[in-house]
Amino acid sequence: MNDSSEGKAAISEKRYVLGRREKGSRGILNIGRYYALDGSLGSQVYVDGLKPHVILTCGKRGYGKSYTMGTLVEEMALLEEEAKRHIGVVVIDTLGIFWTLAMPNRKQEEILKRWGLDPTGFDIVVFSSEENCREYERDGIEAHPFLLKTSELDTHHWSQLFNLSPTDYASAAIGRAVNACEEWDDYAIDDLIAHIKNDTHLRDDVKAVAENFLHMAKSWRIFDTEGVPVEEMVKGGRVTVLDISPYPEELKIVIVALLARKIFEGRIRERKRYERAVMEHHPLDDEGIPLTWMAIDEAHVFLPNEPCLSKEPLIKQWMRQGRQPGVSLLLATQRPSSLDPEVLSHSDIIICHRLTAQEDIDALNKVRPTYMAGEIGDSLKKIGTEKGVALIIDDTSEAVHVIKIRPRMSWHGGEEPSALMEQ
Ligand SMILES: Nc1ncnc2c1ncn2[C@@H]1O[C@H](COP(=O)(O)OP(=O)(O)O)[C@@H](O)[C@H]1O
Ligand SMILES: [Mg+2]
């Protein structure tokens, strides 16, 4: 398959919106076009951008998962102003690849032209380590240091951070310090260390281990007495890229767990404010946390099929109760079989690129809806090897589609590097 077929295909004006029952062309995200098995392209396909969803993108490495996420994020940035100002997008960037959303996709200019699109950079705001921020600012991208409020971590967070069991002595030592500092809202890691030093109930070797862990946490330079307020992270009409690539995996998990919980709680407060405004007939200002989309690449890190702290807010709050407060997830993984099975059952739109590992196909087959004729593996074989082509299972319309995802207008930063730069 080459891309020239895209130019020959007739462009139909018929609109198909995934994830939506009612008709209407407002607040829709143009994900791509129908793809026929001979490689020709049909009608435009859209995804509902107004209601909450859980969208899971999966597929083997190099077939378009991160790219597709980027396309959907671009579409959110392109929504009409009226819808867009109520929606905040946060991209959890574990590899430091999404800042390129700010740069036009000159590399695929020809492909874009065939789709009637132009290379375009988008306005984004990045949060990352101080060091990364300096680099981003050099590229002309607005960037702010990301800081966590030390007092927001409870004993479980500290255990996760150092990969300790809650029953380890070092965990207990840190737990005692956290409990002792609880009455202050703005303590620092040094306060925890001081408490451990003075704790007469602890053995010296336990103190040494616990202090060592806390010094390591200090060296990440992310813990602060205040932290960045969640309202600064998520704003209506804005795409925020949270680049957590400099941090170890345990810290990434703690960051996502804390942020997801705060966004969810913020949305619950916002819903109450909204109800009150309607009841009392006064207009609602735009101060609070907007409807939020959180995009998480490498989702198996945060939603594995084993105990993990970030599953608490993501599954129990976002997936089970997210519709009411209006929080949505856009997830991508190359290993659907290693996800918590609840993730698959909560996903109302599954975008599946080429996938060949039998255990991953089996995982999808387990949640295969009854409206799908035949095995997922057979359908996946039919979509072939072209990058960006995907099988989409839409639970709302109870239908399955084969789609070519539209090319990125902004530069895709996730490409595997080649030793020959020009390739
Ligand atoms: N819809 C698409 N249109 C054009 N090229 C695409 C599309 N999807 C993927 N590609 C190409 O495939 C490459 C790999 O995609 P990527 O999203 O990085 O894979 P992964 O699944 O590993 O995240 C991209 O760099 C891009 O060149
Ligand atoms: Mg990727």
Side-chain angles (χ1 to χ4, degrees):
M1 226 358 277
N2 65 38
D3 285 305
S4 63
S5 61
E6 291 162 4
K8 291 183 219 142
I11 298 176
S12 152
E13 284 312 309
K14 193 171 157 276
R15 282 188 167 159
Y16 194 88
V17 185
L18 306 172
R20 182 180 280 186
R21 275 196 189 87
E22 63 276 16
K23 288 202 164 45
S25 58
R26 297 171 75 195
I28 54 178
L29 314 170
N30 182 203
I31 189 175
R33 290 167 59 185
Y34 278 116
Y35 178 86
L37 295 181
D38 66 358
S40 60
L41 298 176
S43 317
Q44 301 278 358
V45 182
Y46 299 81
V47 170
D48 169 63
L50 298 180
K51 294 266 169 69
H53 297 282
V54 177
I55 302 181
L56 172 67
T57 304
C58 50
K60 72 192 278 187
R61 211 167 96 182
Y63 282 88
K65 295 179 299 294
S66 309
Y67 193 102
T68 298
M69 272 187 118
T71 298
L72 279 166
V73 171
E74 286 179 4
E75 283 294 317
M76 287 165 199
L78 288 167
L79 275 174
E80 57 265 35
E81 198 48 44
E82 203 192 332
K84 191 174 133 175
R85 71 190 176 96
H86 297 296
I87 299 174
V89 181
V90 184
V91 181
I92 305 293
D93 187 1
T94 52
L95 299 171
I97 58 174
F98 282 97
W99 61 276
T100 57
L101 279 162
M103 308 295 171
N105 184 5
R106 300 249 175 256
K107 199 164 36 174
Q108 294 180 315
E109 209 158 359
E110 280 304 310
I111 301 177
L112 279 166
K113 208 184 279 170
R114 280 185 235 125
W115 283 68
L117 300 169
D118 293 317
T120 313
F122 291 82
D123 281 339
I124 56 166
V125 176
V126 180
F127 284 81
S128 192
S129 66
E130 260 176 50
E131 199 182 340
N132 273 2
C133 285
R134 279 195 290 277
E135 256 178 59
Y136 286 130
E137 296 278 359
R138 268 202 293 275
D139 287 326
I141 297 170
E142 183 182 339
H144 305 279
F146 178 66
L147 297 168
L148 285 174
K149 190 175 170 80
T150 314
S151 64
E152 275 170 5
L153 277 79
D154 64 23
T155 328
H156 295 104
H157 293 116
W158 290 109
S159 303
Q160 166 87 48
L161 207 50
F162 307 128
N163 217 348
L164 296 169
S165 145
T167 54
D168 285 340
Y169 288 136
S171 266
I174 296 169
R176 285 172 61 82
V178 169
N179 290 338
C181 291
E182 216 172 41
E183 57 185 290
W184 299 286
D185 180 51
D186 57 351
Y187 59 83
I189 290 197
D190 278 337
D191 297 315
L192 296 176
I193 295 175
H195 188 275
I196 289 172
K197 269 194 199 316
N198 297 328
D199 192 338
T200 49
H201 285 85
L202 297 176
R203 285 198 327 250
D204 281 350
D205 56 339
V206 174
K207 283 187 186 185
V209 176
E211 281 175 39
N212 208 16
F213 278 130
L214 290 172
H215 279 295
M216 179 168 83
K218 228 180 122 177
S219 74
W220 295 324
R221 296 155 64 108
I222 195 173
F223 293 103
D224 179 47
T225 50
E226 294 306 322
V228 180
V230 65
E231 294 79 11
E232 296 291 312
M233 302 288 305
V234 197
K235 285 205 165 131
R238 193 175 83 181
V239 175
T240 303
V241 173
L242 176 58
D243 172 3
I244 50 175
S245 62
Y247 305 118
E249 192 162 302
E250 286 76 19
L251 179 53
K252 288 178 181 161
I253 289 169
V254 168
I255 292 171
V256 169
L258 288 170
L259 184 65
R261 193 186 68 198
K262 287 175 75 170
I263 294 173
F264 185 84
E265 288 169 358
R267 279 303 305 166
I268 297 275
R269 279 197 301 278
E270 198 52 28
R271 280 293 300 179
K272 286 202 184 115
R273 242 163 49 85
Y274 170 81
E275 300 290 353
R276 230 173 268 136
V278 174
M279 260 183 244
E280 294 162 12
H281 304 290
H282 63 73
L284 190 68
D285 55 48
D286 276 347
E287 293 287 293
I289 297 196
L291 297 166
T292 305
W293 276 87
M294 184 141 83
I296 311 181
D297 207 347
E298 311 292 333
H300 47 270
V301 172
F302 304 97
L303 294 157
N305 194 14
E306 55 189 56
C308 178
L309 207 74
S310 43
K311 291 206 309 191
E312 269 298 298
L314 290 177
I315 294 183
K316 284 199 187 152
Q317 298 182 321
W318 284 61
M319 291 186 195
R320 290 193 200 153
Q321 313 166 49
R323 289 191 162 267
Q324 245 295 312
V327 289
S328 300
L329 287 166
L330 177 56
L331 308 168
T333 184
Q334 61 187 43
R335 288 162 38 199
S337 60
S338 56
L339 290 177
D340 186 298
E342 256 202 66
V343 179
L344 288 164
S345 56
H346 281 299
S347 302
D348 60 317
I349 297 177
I350 297 182
I351 302 175
C352 193
H353 291 286
R354 183 168 171 77
L355 193 65
T356 49
Q358 195 54 46
E359 55 177 342
D360 290 324
I361 294 172
D362 290 344
L364 290 177
N365 259 327
K366 267 196 210 133
V367 293
R368 182 172 58 94
T370 46
Y371 50 81
M372 204 179 157
E375 296 272 311
I376 285 186
D378 295 334
S379 308
L380 284 172
K381 267 187 212 129
K382 286 191 202 135
I383 69 171
T385 56
E386 188 177 335
K387 293 180 177 188
V389 174
L391 182 77
I392 302 196
I393 306 170
D394 173 28
D395 222 26
T396 307
S397 62
E398 302 196 344
V400 181
H401 314 267
V402 177
I403 287 166
K404 168 90 189 202
I405 307 291
R406 77 147 173 83
R408 289 272 303 267
M409 293 158 79
S410 61
W411 191 279
H412 171 56
E415 196 155 327
E416 289 181 351
S418 162
L420 297 172
M421 290 288 283
E422 74 275 14
Q423 289 203 332

